[in-house]
Amino acid sequence: MRLLNPTPNNKLSLPVPSADAQAASEALRQVICAEIAANAGAISFARYMELALYAPQLGYYSGGAIKLGKDGDFTTSPEMSALFGATLARVCAKLFPQTSANIMEFGAGSGRLAFDFLTECQTSGIALERYFIVELSGELRARQEELLKDFPQVLWLQTMPGAFSGVVLGNEVLDAMPVALVQKTGQGWSELDVVLDAQGDFVSQASRQAAAQLVAQIPDAENFAPGYTTEVHAVAIGFMHSVAQMLQAGHSQNGKAGLAIWFDYGFPAHEYYLDQRIQGTLMCHYRHHAHPDPFYLPGLQDITAHVDFTAIARAALESGLELLAYTSQAGFLLEAGIGEILLRTPVEDPQRYLPAANALQKLVSPAEMGELFKVLVLGCGAQLPAELQRHDRRHRL
């Protein structure tokens, strides 16, 4: 068994995984190698990323390792503070008069966002009919079921329904969807494939000409110099088309509005595809260490790319949704009342108040998550409360 892939990142000071974890990674490596062999020696990077993250029992999100929190590889807003989920519950309570009182969450992870959302509903008397979780991973669903066992409103789905009326929530969902890698060459844009080198290691190489619809996402694509490499987001765009169709079908069936609220890190297209960002935004996360090598220990690390919010918004508009807001996480949460929720914890109780205040600072500080993370709100037959539009940046998309 090869314990560690001899990639450049082995020179980094990354924690050494256990023997069992290395064995699981090697098993996934063999699965990927077999697929490469079955496809004339090459697969697209998007397919590699899909297997690395979602291969049954072995992929990063479908395996059994802890991903979130201090013992995992990264920390998300819901894992950082219960204030995040509570604030979203307050937002949705204001939207329910327009929509059905239903929530659908994608990418629920540990279930923390759902737990805090539902707890706030109980505390504040918010009437909620159903909280649907679309979950493909059996391992994650088992964790969610344990955490949410006291909330009968929760119902798990394996696939997206054809119609839905209510509010869709997604926190760090879009960044985890497989991306294609494209590179500018002297002959134009090429898509990068994953192949095996002479030592049997995964490497990327330019192969066929990139499909026109992939490159269409890149503004002024013809102006980039040869060697420029970036990612494009066909899977996330297709997903957004499906969400739009689902919300429109729900609106047609009962006349109720539908909304989707996405939290993620990313940029508008004109900030995403910059001359100086010559290697794109692809990043890997392993035990709270970030590095750029997607071929290091497949199945044991997260692989993500920043979101091109322009492409996502355009897909939603093409499918008939309205672009209701685009803003920073800080602007959205502060206007939604996260500070008021914090003040329910007495300042005179420093053991409870100070950790909560510190977590809020990380959520909204421009130096932390407040500016890097954006919020995109899309809707069908819906209107946002005026306060949630005070920091609107739709003009920047």
Side-chain angles (χ1 to χ4, degrees):
M1 181 181 73
R2 295 155 31 121
L3 294 184
L4 291 175
N5 294 337
T7 65
N9 280 291
N10 285 350
K11 300 175 183 178
L12 300 177
S13 299
L14 297 176
V16 177
S18 68
D20 287 345
Q22 292 184 50
S25 179
E26 175 63 15
L28 177 57
R29 198 186 76 84
Q30 293 297 334
V31 169
I32 299 172
C33 287
E35 180 146 338
I36 290 174
N39 287 273
I43 58 175
S44 69
F45 182 83
R47 178 56 177 163
Y48 169 83
M49 186 171 170
E50 180 182 3
L51 290 169
L53 296 180
Y54 302 107
Q57 285 79 55
L58 294 173
Y60 180 77
Y61 285 108
S62 51
I66 295 174
K67 284 86 180 173
L68 304 173
K70 63 181 179 64
D71 297 321
D73 300 311
F74 56 91
T75 299
T76 64
S77 295
E79 300 290 330
M80 190 173 296
S81 173
L83 295 172
F84 185 83
T87 303
L88 285 187
R90 287 182 47 153
V91 168
C92 292
K94 294 181 180 180
L95 297 172
F96 285 159
Q98 304 176 55
T99 73
S100 299
N102 294 312
I103 298 295
M104 180 176 295
E105 185 183 358
F106 290 91
S110 68
R112 194 77 235 174
L113 172 56
F115 181 88
D116 296 331
F117 187 107
L118 292 161
T119 299
E120 178 65 20
C121 287
Q122 284 187 343
T123 301
S124 300
I126 300 170
L128 178 69
E129 295 177 16
R130 282 288 188 182
Y131 194 109
F132 297 98
I133 294 177
V134 181
E135 183 56 69
L136 304 180
S137 167
E139 180 267 333
L140 287 176
R141 174 171 172 170
R143 295 186 184 192
Q144 294 160 10
E145 288 176 340
E146 175 60 26
L147 181 64
L148 302 172
K149 60 181 182 295
D150 295 328
F151 296 103
Q153 305 98 317
V154 182
L155 183 67
W156 280 265
L157 305 174
Q158 289 188 311
T159 59
M160 186 188 306
F164 174 74
S165 175
V167 183
V168 172
L169 299 177
N171 181 67
E172 294 195 55
V173 174
L174 302 174
D175 68 86
M177 294 186 176
V179 295
L181 292 184
V182 294
Q183 186 175 80
K184 186 69 175 294
T185 70
Q187 292 72 46
W189 286 91
S190 293
E191 188 171 353
L192 297 186
D193 280 345
V194 176
V195 301
L196 295 171
D197 66 11
Q199 289 73 45
D201 296 314
F202 298 129
V203 294
S204 60
Q205 71 173 24
S207 57
R208 61 200 175 281
Q209 182 178 358
Q213 64 265 32
L214 289 179
V215 181
Q217 185 180 331
I218 306 173
D220 302 317
E222 69 280 1
N223 295 333
F224 289 98
Y228 186 90
T229 303
T230 190
E231 53 278 336
V232 288
H233 306 78
V235 173
I237 289 171
F239 171 75
M240 197 55 54
H241 284 302
S242 297
V243 171
Q245 292 166 8
M246 176 185 72
L247 292 177
Q248 287 185 304
H251 183 56
S252 297
Q253 286 181 6
N254 60 21
K256 294 283 190 178
L259 292 96
I261 306 175
W262 307 103
F263 291 79
D264 226 312
Y265 48 88
F267 312 101
H270 66 90
E271 297 176 14
Y272 195 111
Y273 303 103
L274 299 177
D275 288 335
Q276 59 267 38
R277 194 172 283 130
I278 60 173
Q279 294 298 320
T281 70
L282 197 77
M283 190 58 62
C284 304
H285 300 274
Y286 175 66
R287 306 276 289 275
H288 292 280
H289 291 71
H291 69 86
D293 184 359
F295 304 132
Y296 181 79
L297 294 174
L300 300 189
Q301 64 174 0
D302 193 17
I303 307 173
T304 72
H306 283 56
V307 176
D308 175 352
F309 282 106
T310 299
I312 298 301
R314 183 181 295 121
L317 292 171
E318 290 171 350
S319 293
L321 293 188
E322 298 173 82
L323 177 58
L324 300 178
Y326 171 67
T327 187
S328 67
Q329 177 169 289
F332 186 90
L333 292 178
L334 290 170
E335 295 296 347
I338 194 170
E340 298 170 18
I341 298 176
L342 170 66
L343 292 178
R344 296 194 312 216
T345 302
V347 178
E348 296 77 18
D349 184 356
Q351 289 188 328
R352 293 173 56 216
Y353 180 81
L354 290 179
N358 288 337
L360 186 149
Q361 174 71 8
K362 291 180 180 179
L363 291 175
V364 303
S365 169
E368 298 276 356
M369 303 173 75
E371 186 59 36
L372 175 62
F373 278 72
K374 310 300 193 305
V375 185
L376 183 69
V377 186
L378 307 163
C380 181
Q383 290 186 333
L384 274 185
E387 63 269 19
L388 296 181
Q389 297 178 309
R390 288 177 187 151
H391 300 277
D392 188 49
R393 301 178 181 178
R394 281 176 292 180
H395 62 282
R396 294 176 62 175
L397 291 172

